[in-house]
């Protein structure tokens, strides 16, 4: 092609997840691309799973000004998307951590409106101790019940010294929970935010200015709004060794196709590729 082009396409969706597999042979092996389409929203598995969400909001001094306004707006929008069967809690951190509630509370009760008032009252001040906020959040997720999809939504500018220590903490203690990151401000730590989300099998997005904040927040929340299939695993019949990316596999979300790349030995193929996961 001698020019760029923009291809728009609309997938066919059904009541359950649908796969499509593409292959390409090269000298160093056979390459495979798996596209997994989510179920039709609101039908069957497309209704999604109940969630247990911990919102972690950076209210340190580096967030003062437009950043804290953007963060509050994003968090309020996320609270509006919760369903009555979901549970939630909020941590606000600077050089210390404040909890909205001692434990997770139902989104269908009066706590949700109280949470909105609590978020609107938050001010930016103090240092940035992502480490203690993350440690407290991971401990809360470990003590919560397993019947819902557990996730942490982390909103911060990522101003931190020990990036490697933060990532080690995520990989060691996150367990079955998911970690999504929303980078706030004109100069967020993009490297750390992306690495945290990758380690937590989550999604990363950035809000860099007030002009595009609303659209980007909405796009981010749509992507993670409702997991429809979790704990994904691929079984390759007749194939021993293979390379796969991403690994481990992230969740399948409503409205968000999942792409998985793999490489196997030259001339080899599998008659059956089985995808397993949790849909209820």
């Amino acid at each position: 092609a001698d020019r760029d082009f923009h291809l728009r396409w609309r997938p066919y969706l059904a009541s359950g997840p649908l796969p499509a597999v593409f292959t390409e042979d090269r000298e160093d092996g056979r390459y495979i691309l798996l596209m997994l389409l989510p179920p039709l929203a609101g039908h069957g598995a497309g209704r999604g799973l109940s969630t247990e969400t911990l919102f972690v909001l950076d209210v340190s001094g580096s967030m003062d000004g437009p950043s804290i306004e953007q963060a509050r707006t994003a968090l309020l929008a996320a609270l509006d998307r919760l369903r009555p069967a979901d549970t939630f809690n909020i941590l606000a951190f600077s050089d210390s951590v404040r909890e909205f509630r001692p434990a997770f509370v139902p989104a269908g009760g009066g706590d949700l409106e109280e949470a909105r008032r609590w978020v609107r009252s938050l001010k930016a001040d103090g240092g940035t101790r992502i480490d203690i906020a993350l440690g407290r959040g991971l401990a809360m997720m470990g003590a919560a019940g397993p019947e819902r999809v557990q996730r942490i939504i982390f909103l911060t500018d990522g101003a931190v010294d020990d990036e490697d220590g933060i990532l080690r903490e995520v990989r060691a203690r996150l367990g079955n929970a998911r970690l999504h990151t929303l980078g706030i401000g004109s100069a967020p730590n993009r490297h750390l935010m992306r690495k945290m989300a990758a380690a937590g099998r989550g999604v990363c997005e950035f809000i860099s200015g007030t002009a595009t904040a609303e659209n980007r927040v909405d796009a981010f929340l749509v992507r993670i709004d409702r997991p429809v299939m979790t704990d994904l695993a691929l079984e390759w019949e007749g194939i021993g060794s293979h390379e796969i990316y991403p690994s481990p596999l992230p969740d399948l979300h409503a409205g968000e196709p999942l792409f998985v790349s793999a490489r196997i030995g030259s001339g080899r193929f599998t008659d059956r590729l089985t995808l397993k996961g949790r849909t209820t």
Side-chain angles (χ1 to χ4, degrees):
D2 61 355
R3 67 196 66 190
D4 295 334
F5 65 92
H6 193 172
L7 174 65
R8 297 178 183 271
W9 59 279
R10 184 186 301 275
Y12 171 79
L13 302 178
S15 59
L18 290 175
V21 179
F22 308 90
T23 64
E24 180 181 355
D25 289 318
R26 298 184 182 180
E27 293 182 358
D28 57 343
R30 171 166 284 174
Y31 287 79
I32 298 175
L33 176 66
L34 168 67
M35 179 177 66
L36 183 64
L37 300 174
L40 190 65
H43 298 271
R47 293 186 177 92
L49 301 165
S50 298
T51 60
E52 188 154 65
T53 306
L54 178 64
F55 299 100
V56 183
L57 177 63
D58 186 347
V59 293
S60 62
S62 62
M63 292 281 290
D64 194 23
S67 294
I68 191 64
E69 295 291 340
Q70 293 166 8
R72 279 197 297 255
T73 299
L75 183 46
L76 290 170
L79 291 172
D80 289 341
R81 287 182 173 270
L82 296 176
R83 299 178 185 177
D86 299 333
T87 59
F88 76 99
N89 204 349
I90 308 170
L91 295 182
F93 76 94
S94 53
D95 44 20
S96 61
V97 179
R98 286 173 281 169
E99 301 173 0
F100 168 64
R101 291 287 188 265
F104 288 90
V105 293
D111 291 292
L112 191 57
E113 184 54 40
E114 180 63 29
R116 294 187 182 101
R117 289 193 291 267
W118 192 80
V119 169
R120 293 187 186 103
S121 70
L122 294 172
K123 308 295 183 183
D125 189 33
T128 308
R129 291 295 305 274
I130 288 182
D131 55 337
I132 60 173
L134 184 62
R136 178 62 185 138
L138 293 174
M140 292 178 69
M141 300 306 285
E147 64 273 8
R148 296 179 177 86
V149 177
Q150 295 182 312
R151 57 188 190 167
I152 299 175
I153 300 180
F154 216 104
L155 301 92
T156 179
D157 59 4
V160 63
D161 294 327
D162 187 12
E163 293 185 8
D164 292 339
I166 295 295
L167 295 174
R168 284 195 300 270
E169 188 86 347
V170 172
R171 296 186 182 106
R173 298 181 56 195
L174 188 59
N176 290 325
R178 305 297 186 256
L179 175 60
H180 306 287
T181 57
L182 185 59
I184 305 292
S186 58
N189 189 331
R190 293 176 179 266
H191 173 76
L192 178 61
M193 296 292 95
R194 291 192 178 102
K195 288 289 188 179
M196 286 176 64
R201 287 181 281 180
V203 172
C204 178
E205 184 57 90
F206 299 98
I207 304 175
S208 56
T210 55
T212 60
E214 185 174 350
N215 289 339
R216 285 192 172 275
V217 167
D218 185 65
F220 172 76
L221 295 176
V222 166
R223 291 177 69 188
I224 67 172
D225 182 49
R226 197 57 40 181
V228 296
M229 192 173 188
T230 64
D231 304 325
L232 273 62
L234 282 172
E235 294 183 357
W236 304 70
E237 185 176 297
I239 293 182
S241 61
H242 60 271
E243 300 175 33
I244 185 171
Y245 179 85
S247 180
L249 296 176
D251 297 331
L252 181 65
H253 288 84
E256 185 78 7
L258 173 64
F259 294 90
V260 180
S261 301
R263 184 178 69 170
I264 60 179
S266 298
R268 303 185 65 186
F269 198 69
T270 176
D271 292 328
R272 183 182 298 272
L273 182 60
T274 304
L275 177 73
K276 294 184 177 181
R278 171 189 168 197
T279 57
T280 58

